[in-house]
Amino acid sequence: MEYFHRLNDYCEAHSTPPGDLLYQLERETHLKTLAPQMLSGPLQGQFLRMLSRMLRPQRILEVGTFTGYSALCMAEGLPPSGRLHTIEVNPELEYLIRKYVRLAGREQQIVLHLGDAAGVIPALEGPFDLAFLDAGKQDYRRHYELALPRLRSGGLILADNVLWSGKVLEPPADADAESIRAFNTFVAEDERVEQVLLPVRDGLLLAQKR
C-alpha cells in the first residue's frame, strides 16, 4: 500500500496540477465531510479534465456528485452551450456543490439533480457523449443499464473504484466487492461496448459504445 501511495504521488507530481479552486474544494471536502477519500482528487481529476477536453462533449451525465470535484473537471471540456447533468443522493452535500459550481462560474452549465439516480436518469434528455458512474457500488449495473441507451454511438462511459482497493483480486470480502467484480465481468462480456480497465487511483473502467 505504501508503494502504491508513493507511485500515485509521483504521478501527481508529474501531471499538471489542479487550479486554486479545485485545491480549495479538496481542502474543504476533507474538513467538512466524513468520507473525503471519495473525492476524485488531482490525478484522476486531471485525467477526467483532459478526456473531456479531447472529447468536447455537448452533454455529460454524472451519477454521484459528492462535493463536485469531478463535475468541475469534466465541465472543462464543455462548449458554451454544453450541459453536465450530475446526480447526488445526499442532500446534505448540496451547499458545497452549489458553492463551488458558483465560484467556478458554471451555474448555467452544471445542472444538479438531488435524488435517486434510478428515478432521475430516465427523465433526462439525451443523447449523452460522456457518462461517469461514481455512486453506490451495488448500483453500478443498474446505473450502467440506464445510462448506456442514452449514450450516443461512440460515446464514453466511465466507472470509478472498479479495483476496490485490490479486493477484486480476492474472494469477495463484502457486498460492494462482490458487486464490483460482477460488474467488471459483465462489462467485459458486453458486446455493446469496447472497454479498458485502467489502474488509475482505485481503478477506472472506460468503455466506448459501439
Side-chain angles (χ1 to χ4, degrees):
M1 186 61 71
E2 180 184 352
Y3 173 79
F4 172 80
H5 287 307
R6 288 176 56 203
L7 194 60
N8 187 78
D9 290 344
Y10 181 87
C11 292
E12 283 190 16
H14 291 79
S15 302
T16 301
D20 289 341
L21 185 65
L22 288 175
Y23 176 74
Q24 293 171 23
L25 173 54
E26 183 177 13
R27 282 185 56 83
E28 190 163 358
T29 298
H30 277 81
L31 288 170
K32 296 184 177 179
T33 68
L34 295 175
Q37 70 275 10
M38 292 170 59
L39 190 87
S40 286
L43 185 61
Q44 182 172 294
Q46 178 65 357
F47 176 81
L48 293 173
R49 175 176 176 268
M50 289 193 70
L51 186 67
S52 182
R53 291 180 69 180
M54 289 186 288
L55 189 61
R56 300 300 293 173
Q58 185 67 36
R59 299 178 69 83
I60 300 173
L61 170 66
E62 179 182 48
V63 184
T65 318
F66 192 41
T67 57
Y69 194 102
S70 53
L72 291 177
C73 291
M74 291 187 290
E76 289 280 333
L78 290 171
S81 60
R83 296 291 181 272
L84 186 155
H85 291 268
T86 184
I87 306 168
E88 175 54 47
V89 72
N90 184 358
E92 294 182 2
L93 296 171
E94 181 180 8
Y95 79 100
L96 262 182
I97 299 166
R98 294 199 184 279
K99 173 183 176 179
Y100 282 90
V101 167
R102 183 180 68 255
L103 289 173
R106 299 276 184 185
E107 292 173 288
Q108 300 305 311
Q109 290 187 303
I110 297 179
V111 183
L112 174 62
H113 304 268
L114 294 172
D116 183 355
V120 175
I121 295 174
L124 297 178
E125 181 182 353
F128 291 95
D129 305 291
L130 174 64
F132 182 46
L133 309 182
D134 193 17
K137 309 314 165 191
Q138 295 179 45
D139 293 323
Y140 266 23
R141 171 74 179 272
R142 178 170 58 161
H143 294 160
Y144 176 89
E145 292 286 21
L146 287 169
L148 191 62
R150 289 167 176 77
L151 205 65
R152 68 166 173 82
S153 178
L156 302 177
I157 186 167
L158 295 101
D160 196 13
N161 304 114
V162 291
L163 295 180
W164 206 236
S165 300
K167 293 179 182 178
V168 292
L169 297 176
E170 308 295 338
D174 54 60
D176 284 338
E178 185 174 0
S179 294
I180 288 294
R181 287 185 66 183
F183 174 74
N184 291 341
T185 299
F186 171 77
V187 177
E189 297 173 351
D190 189 355
E191 296 183 352
R192 296 171 295 177
V193 299
E194 294 185 13
Q195 71 288 328
V196 58
L197 200 158
L198 302 168
V200 177
R201 192 168 166 263
D202 194 27
L204 270 177
L205 180 62
L206 174 62
Q208 183 175 39
K209 185 175 180 179
R210 295 181 187 271

